[in-house]
Amino acid sequence: MNRDIILLRTVEVAAIASYKYIGKKNKNLVDQAAVEAFQVMLKNEKGFKLKVVNGEGELDEAPMLFVGQILGDLEDPSVLTYDVSVDPVEGTHPAAYNYAGSISTIAFSRENTMLQLPEMYMEKLFVSTEFKECINLSKGIVFSIEAMQFHAKRKDLKCIILDKPRHQEIIRKMNDMGIIVRLIQDGDVLAAIDVVNGEADFVYGIGGAPEGSLMAALSISSDCKMQSRLVRYEEVWPNELETIERQNKERAWLEKYNLDFDSILHDLDLIDDHKVRFFAAGLTAGGSLKPVDYKNGKFYVNAFMSSHGIVRNFNSVYDVKKVNSLKPEIKFLFDKYKR
């Protein structure tokens, strides 16, 4: 079967499996359901292997979808291996408490083209195709915003940004500059999808570095643009008890990954492959992606894919009875995670 269809179906089924735990106030159950769906959907696929480059994370010490794990065709040594960045549920907290901001997502590229990113903070600027040539994060976010406004010949550009204390100053500045600011609680990968789908002009803010790989995949595959840089933990949490411990970890991570806090990382620095592919499916979703729903024996899933500058938005319907009779591996998941 075509790899794209397999990965599209994988994120859709992961969203369906996690649907059981929406609003149950347990983000671990949300994540575990999606992770198991990924394992089940990919473990027996033939013709390719997937190597997890950015996965569930070192801090989590995840038992599955960990960095270095191989998925797919483990029996045939001749098949091609691809790098993947995966987040079974980006936004476990909004899914657990049933508000907008959660998706299931994966991206893959040629082997040895993805940069492994540490569990650190990252400043990220993701802009639509219109503003690809305008941004220069090395000169600061205000410079890039002014350049985009000059290019567009208007001030009322739309920005999506996480509503966090670390962003309050730039939010005030953008309001003063005439920017229309849309605040979100979680999900900068989902926000970047909204930019691709024309819901906003850019996403800016400090979030997780591993998610930066997924945003880079989306940027390259949809012909947008992203720039980023790593951020010290103490810049985000200067007074936390664990700050000193995290500083020590950051030093080790930077040495391990040959990274620093000063370099501006472009999307192609994170994934050196113009043919990278990106997939996502809405869980509680929000913006241009709709949440998964269930009615009368059918799951309704809104999914997204981008590659080669082509953007696709899908509406998929899973008839549980029909799928169970034809796909036993999915039946296992549907039976286990039925609501």
Side-chain angles (χ1 to χ4, degrees):
M1 185 183 292
N2 181 279
R3 289 188 313 271
D4 291 351
I5 295 298
I6 292 169
L7 292 177
L8 178 67
R9 182 183 292 172
T10 297
V11 294
E12 289 177 338
V13 172
I16 289 172
S18 299
Y19 177 79
K20 176 178 181 177
Y21 299 113
I22 289 177
K24 300 295 185 181
K25 299 184 179 181
N26 190 325
K27 64 181 185 179
N28 291 329
L29 291 178
V30 171
D31 193 53
Q32 288 169 13
V35 168
E36 182 169 16
F38 267 81
Q39 290 281 121
V40 169
M41 296 300 292
L42 294 173
K43 68 179 181 180
N44 294 320
E45 291 298 340
K46 302 298 181 184
F48 65 92
K49 291 197 285 277
L50 303 174
K51 179 178 67 178
V52 179
V53 176
N54 294 293
E56 287 285 80
E58 294 172 272
L59 290 178
D60 298 331
E61 298 182 349
M64 293 192 292
L65 299 181
F66 55 86
V67 172
Q69 184 176 0
I70 304 295
L71 305 167
D73 194 343
L74 305 182
E75 298 179 356
D76 186 351
S78 68
V79 300
L80 291 175
T81 300
Y82 297 91
D83 289 351
V84 296
S85 290
V86 56
D87 202 340
V89 177
E90 189 220 13
T92 53
H93 188 271
Y97 287 85
N98 196 13
Y99 65 83
S102 64
I103 59 173
S104 178
T105 181
I106 190 171
F108 80 91
S109 64
R110 291 179 293 111
E111 188 177 17
N112 299 323
T113 59
M114 272 186 191
L115 180 65
Q116 186 178 342
L117 291 168
E119 288 279 304
M120 293 172 60
Y121 280 105
M122 176 179 272
E123 179 186 20
K124 291 171 275 191
L125 173 59
F126 185 107
V127 303
S128 67
T129 303
E130 179 183 359
F131 301 112
K132 284 178 62 175
E133 306 303 324
C134 298
I135 63 172
N136 187 342
L137 199 54
S138 66
K139 295 185 177 181
I141 181 60
V142 172
F143 172 90
S144 293
I145 293 173
E146 290 176 340
M148 288 189 285
Q149 289 176 320
F150 180 81
H151 176 82
K153 296 181 174 59
R154 58 188 176 90
K155 292 186 177 296
D156 60 343
L157 303 181
K158 295 180 180 179
C159 171
I160 305 175
I161 187 169
L162 291 168
D163 187 11
K164 304 291 184 182
R166 58 185 177 267
H167 294 148
Q168 295 314 301
E169 182 177 346
I170 188 58
I171 289 171
R172 286 192 294 270
K173 179 65 176 177
M174 286 194 290
N175 282 324
D176 291 342
M177 296 173 73
I179 299 296
I180 299 171
V181 178
R182 178 178 137 203
L183 302 177
I184 58 172
Q185 297 301 312
D186 292 273
D188 48 6
V189 180
L190 174 57
I193 293 174
D194 282 352
V195 170
V196 175
N197 279 335
E199 296 283 327
D201 296 298
F202 66 101
V203 175
Y204 174 73
I206 297 172
E211 288 80 5
S213 182
L214 289 160
M215 292 174 70
L218 174 60
S219 172
I220 297 164
S221 60
S222 64
D223 196 35
C224 291
K225 185 64 180 176
M226 175 184 161
Q227 293 182 4
S228 61
R229 71 170 182 91
L230 292 173
V231 174
R232 291 176 173 83
Y233 188 83
E234 64 199 78
E235 290 184 38
V236 180
W237 303 105
N239 302 314
E240 294 297 307
L241 293 176
E242 66 176 30
T243 296
I244 294 177
E245 179 185 349
R246 286 297 296 262
Q247 288 173 335
N248 294 330
K249 286 184 177 180
E250 285 179 346
R251 282 192 289 271
W253 282 332
L254 292 178
E255 182 176 351
K256 177 180 178 181
Y257 300 120
N258 193 29
L259 295 168
D260 58 64
F261 290 114
D262 299 318
S263 297
I264 299 300
L265 300 168
H266 295 250
D267 40 25
L268 285 166
D269 294 323
L270 301 184
I271 304 176
D272 187 17
D273 186 2
H274 287 279
K275 296 182 180 180
V276 62
R277 289 165 163 82
F278 173 92
F279 307 82
L283 186 48
T284 58
S288 59
L289 269 188
K290 306 306 178 191
V292 63
D293 198 9
Y294 177 82
K295 295 177 183 177
N296 301 322
K298 296 178 180 180
F299 282 102
Y300 296 81
V301 188
N302 191 203
F304 174 97
M305 172 189 170
S306 57
S307 68
H308 301 80
I310 303 167
V311 174
R312 297 179 172 94
N313 287 274
F314 300 89
N315 290 308
S316 300
V317 181
Y318 283 71
D319 185 317
V320 173
K321 185 176 180 180
K322 188 70 171 179
V323 170
N324 284 349
S325 68
L326 297 174
K327 300 291 290 182
E329 70 275 20
I330 300 182
K331 180 180 185 301
F332 164 79
L333 291 168
F334 281 6
D335 287 345
K336 182 173 182 178
Y337 293 112
K338 64 184 178 182
R339 188 129 185 178

